[in-house]
Amino acid sequence: MAIVRQTLVYDGPGGPFEGVIAYEDEVETPRPGVLVVPNVLGQKEADNVHAENLAKLGYVGFACDVFGQGRRKTRASDNVAEYMNELNADRALLRDRLAASLDTLKGFGHVDAAKTAAVGFCFGGKCVLDMARAGLDFLGGVSFHGVYDRPDYANVAPIAAKLLVCHGWEDPIAPPDTMVALGRELTESGADWQIHAYGNAGHAFTDIELKGVSTNPGLAYEPRADRRSWKAMQDFLAELFV
């Protein structure tokens, strides 16, 4: 068995968009599909690796694109948050681009369209929450060190998608009071939710590229939280797709 990567160019509002889908080469029957939503930098190799790792678990992973084909940043870029901020200012557009990405995953030949989920990192974690808030048709999602501010449209009620929020307790972007507010919001919206808070972990605790680079304890890789949150995601998806 080998993992196949395939580039997908797809349409959506303000597109085209370009993502990478990964699956086992011996897939014969449709598998659950998992959308991978990137952080502030946009679609990149780290997201493709996440998609591959999901494929190794028996799913089809799709590292999607919400910024647009060719619109990418690196940590050395000027105005690194430019594309993210465009979508923060238009959450309805973000919702519609996420819907287009989800539809692309569902339409892929190896995917069981009735069994889809989403995982997201940092800004991508907010995207997963917005997918649930907007009532997009997926079974559940995982937000890794996400951002919790609500969009400017009302949540559906009840929220049907189940949610797992993996949170770094020392995250300066989402301090504990915002985490508690998120729990209240999701309860008020009738969601089935979990929040796992990891001590001694800040924002971006899964981002191994920060290992040995970041000197800010609030924005750093934390291996225990990374390992534990990935295991929590595995358990969540296994339960979700039964």
Side-chain angles (χ1 to χ4, degrees):
M1 182 196 73
I3 302 299
V4 176
R5 276 193 192 189
Q6 183 177 334
T7 299
L8 295 183
V9 177
Y10 59 103
D11 292 326
F17 300 91
E18 182 177 328
V20 170
I21 201 158
Y23 54 94
E24 293 177 353
D25 63 349
E26 297 178 4
V27 168
E28 295 181 355
T29 58
R31 301 282 182 89
V34 183
L35 197 69
V36 178
V37 192
N39 65 11
V40 61
L41 302 179
Q43 213 280 355
K44 57 193 172 300
E45 177 60 16
D47 304 302
N48 301 338
V49 171
H50 287 312
E52 286 190 340
N53 287 336
L54 286 160
K56 292 174 184 176
L57 296 175
Y59 308 125
V60 176
F62 179 39
C64 73
D65 173 19
V66 294
F67 292 162
Q69 190 177 32
R71 288 164 59 87
R72 306 288 188 266
K73 295 287 186 177
T74 69
R75 289 192 171 86
S77 297
D78 293 331
N79 195 7
V80 69
E82 176 184 6
Y83 302 143
M84 180 186 74
N85 287 339
E86 290 175 0
L87 294 174
N88 281 333
D90 192 343
R91 299 283 279 276
L93 177 61
L94 174 59
R95 174 197 62 206
D96 294 346
R97 289 183 176 182
L98 290 164
S101 298
L102 180 60
D103 287 346
T104 300
L105 173 64
K106 288 185 172 188
F108 190 71
H110 295 303
V111 172
D112 180 347
K115 292 185 176 181
T116 56
V119 302
F121 301 83
C122 304
F123 171 70
K126 172 158 73 173
C127 291
V128 169
L129 295 173
D130 275 10
M131 291 173 67
R133 289 162 165 150
L136 298 191
D137 184 18
F138 71 123
L139 296 181
V142 183
S143 168
F144 292 94
H145 42 81
V147 184
Y148 305 146
D149 59 297
R150 299 178 71 160
D152 53 1
Y153 51 79
N155 290 0
V156 299
I159 288 176
K162 298 177 181 180
L163 292 168
L164 167 63
V165 177
C166 296
H167 175 79
W169 186 257
E170 306 297 338
D171 189 337
I173 296 174
D177 59 336
T178 65
M179 179 198 69
V180 172
L182 175 66
R184 290 182 179 138
E185 173 200 341
L186 296 177
T187 296
E188 289 167 1
S189 296
D192 179 344
W193 62 271
Q194 307 171 52
I195 293 177
H196 294 197
Y198 301 99
N200 306 303
H203 195 67
F205 61 76
T206 68
D207 193 343
I208 198 167
E209 293 181 1
L210 293 176
K211 184 177 181 180
V213 174
S214 175
T215 58
N216 179 353
L219 181 68
Y221 176 67
E222 210 298 308
R224 293 168 298 183
D226 183 21
R227 182 183 70 253
R228 292 165 180 169
S229 62
W230 188 259
K231 178 61 167 61
M233 179 211 70
Q234 292 181 62
D235 294 342
F236 176 82
L237 293 178
E239 179 182 318
L240 190 70
F241 292 135
V242 169

